[in-house]
Every structure is written in C-alpha cells, then in structure tokens.
Amino acid sequence: MYKRQVIGLGNRATPSNEEAVSAVRAKLLQAGFTNQAAVGRYYVARIACVVLPQIALLIALPHLGGVSKQTLLMVSIGLIIAGLLAPDMYVSRRAQALQQQCSAGFPDMMDLMVACVEAGLSLDASVQRVGEELELRHPNISEHMKKLSLELRAGKARRNAWRTFADRMGIEAVSYTHLRAHETRHDL
C-alpha cells in the first residue's frame, strides 16, 4: 500500500517536460537506479528533502526561543538549498563511484572479450560469457554485460546496443572501442 502511494506521488511530482525527465532518467541509470519508478522516487526524495527539514525546524521553534528571527530565516533558507541539492549530489556521487568501478574493471572485460573472440566465440556469445565470468570480480560490469547480451539477442542493432552499453557504463573507451571496430569492419 505504501509503495503504491509513493509511486502515485512520484508520478504526480514528475515534471511533464520530457527532456528534463530523460536527463534525470539517464543520470539515474548511470547511478544504478534502473527501476521504472526511479524518476518519480527521485522527485519525491527532492520534495521530502525540502519539506521534512522545514517541518523539523517548525517543531523545534519553541525550543529555540533565544534565536533571532533573522537567524531562523537564514537557517530555513539554508535547509531549503541543502534539500534541493542533496538528492542530486547523492545521485552524482553514486554514478561517479559506479563509473570508477567500471573503469577499474574495463581492462579485465576487454581482455576476456579478446580471449573469447580469439577462442572462436562470436561477439554476442563473448558478451554473454564475459558477463558470466565477471559476476564475482566486477558485478556492476557483469550486470551491464548481461543487459547488453539481452539487447543483442532481442534484435537491437549492434551499434545501438553498444552505444547504450557505453552510456550506461559512463566510459568513453567503450564507445570509442566499438566505433573503431565498426570502422575497421571487425567486431573487436
């Protein structure tokens, strides 16, 4: 019941501007929030981070008798600014941490991909195999590889699937490597 209410509130809190929603969705995807309701929850979190500290300040007012009104106003404004920035900072830091994990595991991924292709596996089979192999050492990359494998099996154009993969991982080297492979007519 609570989950439905949050999702409903999230849907109402989400702006109708598709460009803004797409930008937030892309940022959330890079931070690992892949749920369909992630955008709505993000906006609910932004509202909560602004409203809840103000309510707490209002409740604390009787205990802050010696504090001037001007100081309270400045504290209130500071809480509003912090509440507006906090969710975005959290998402950005989480995305950066996941990107660093992907960067750290990228050489291992490429080595395994090359080894699989040289062993005679197709590129699609290599993607699936590498996704399975990296599950323990680099779970984030493994998850991205499994999604890439599913997209390729579902018939998504290889170039588009790899571009989406690169966007999810947030690593320019992935996009560059695949584009160079297409230019030279090799898969890797």
Side-chain angles (χ1 to χ4, degrees), residues 24-150:
V24 169
R25 182 172 285 118
K27 193 184 306 184
L28 291 171
L29 283 173
Q30 284 188 335
F33 297 107
T34 58
N35 190 318
Q36 287 286 58
V39 174
R41 289 179 182 168
Y42 171 78
Y43 283 108
V44 168
R46 287 190 71 180
I47 292 169
C49 285
V50 170
V51 173
L52 294 179
Q54 295 301 313
I55 292 172
L57 183 62
L58 186 64
I59 292 171
L61 272 179
H63 306 289
L64 302 172
V67 180
S68 71
K69 291 180 182 179
Q70 190 175 26
T71 303
L72 288 174
L73 179 63
M74 296 307 278
V75 168
S76 179
I77 291 171
L79 288 172
I80 289 171
I81 292 170
L84 288 172
L85 297 177
D88 191 50
M89 288 174 52
Y90 173 75
V91 169
S92 295
R93 286 190 177 162
R94 182 167 166 161
Q96 185 178 18
L98 290 178
Q99 184 179 4
Q100 287 174 346
Q101 289 175 4
C102 289
S103 293
F106 182 72
D108 290 343
M109 180 198 80
M110 288 306 296
D111 288 345
L112 287 171
M113 288 292 293
V114 169
C116 288
V117 170
E118 286 177 351
L121 289 177
S122 69
L123 180 62
D124 295 355
S126 297
V127 168
Q128 183 176 352
R129 179 72 177 159
V130 170
E132 293 167 1
E133 286 294 322
L134 292 177
E135 199 162 349
L136 293 177
R137 289 180 52 201
H138 303 289
N140 190 29
I141 293 177
S142 174
E143 183 181 321
H144 291 307
M145 295 292 286
K146 289 176 182 176
K147 286 180 187 175
L148 174 62
S149 179
L150 289 173

